[in-house]
Amino acid sequence: MKILLITSNATIEKLFVLSAEKKGDEVSIGTVENIPEGDFDAVFIDKDQYNNELLDNLKTLFPNAKYVLIVSKNDEKIVGFDEYLTKPFLPTDLMELLDKLPNLSTNNKAD
């Protein structure tokens, strides 16, 4: 699976890349200002980087991707995502989510 991760948190980035690549997935790192080109199966956005304009732009660029918001335990879940990953998370939490993502129905219609 080709994954785009939007985060500015080096710890999340390192944990995410190590876990996903161990599973055989390809990860590209982006920021709000710099979104890599490609065709991604899944887009993970750290809540610290989230804004409505970013999500709308990503859904235009990658309309068939599954969208996951990385949230803190007390954060409200934002509508428009297929799944949520709560931090702090263990590598096994991420790997389980990556396993089930391809089977989720998409919720990525632009709002």
Side-chain angles (χ1 to χ4, degrees), residues 41-44 64-68 82 101-106 108:
D41 302 305
V43 178
F44 284 72
N64 298 316
K66 303 287 170 71
Y67 286 83
V68 179
D82 298 298
L101 262 187
N103 301 318
L104 290 178
S105 59
T106 53
N108 63 2

Side-chain angles (χ1 to χ4, degrees), residues 44-96:
F44 284 72
I45 304 172
D46 190 340
K47 173 93 172 12
D48 297 339
Q49 298 290 296
Y50 170 81
N51 65 57
N52 286 330
E53 183 179 342
L54 172 66
L55 183 60
D56 291 344
N57 289 342
L58 289 169
K59 286 186 175 188
T60 299
L61 291 170
F62 315 114
N64 298 316
K66 303 287 170 71
Y67 286 83
V68 179
L69 185 63
I70 303 170
V71 296
S72 295
K73 191 184 335 187
N74 296 325
D75 286 342
E76 287 187 33
K77 292 184 176 173
I78 298 170
V79 175
F81 288 88
D82 298 298
E83 190 59 70
Y84 302 87
L85 179 63
T86 303
K87 54 185 174 181
F89 57 87
L90 297 171
T92 52
D93 298 331
L94 176 59
M95 293 173 88
E96 287 173 10

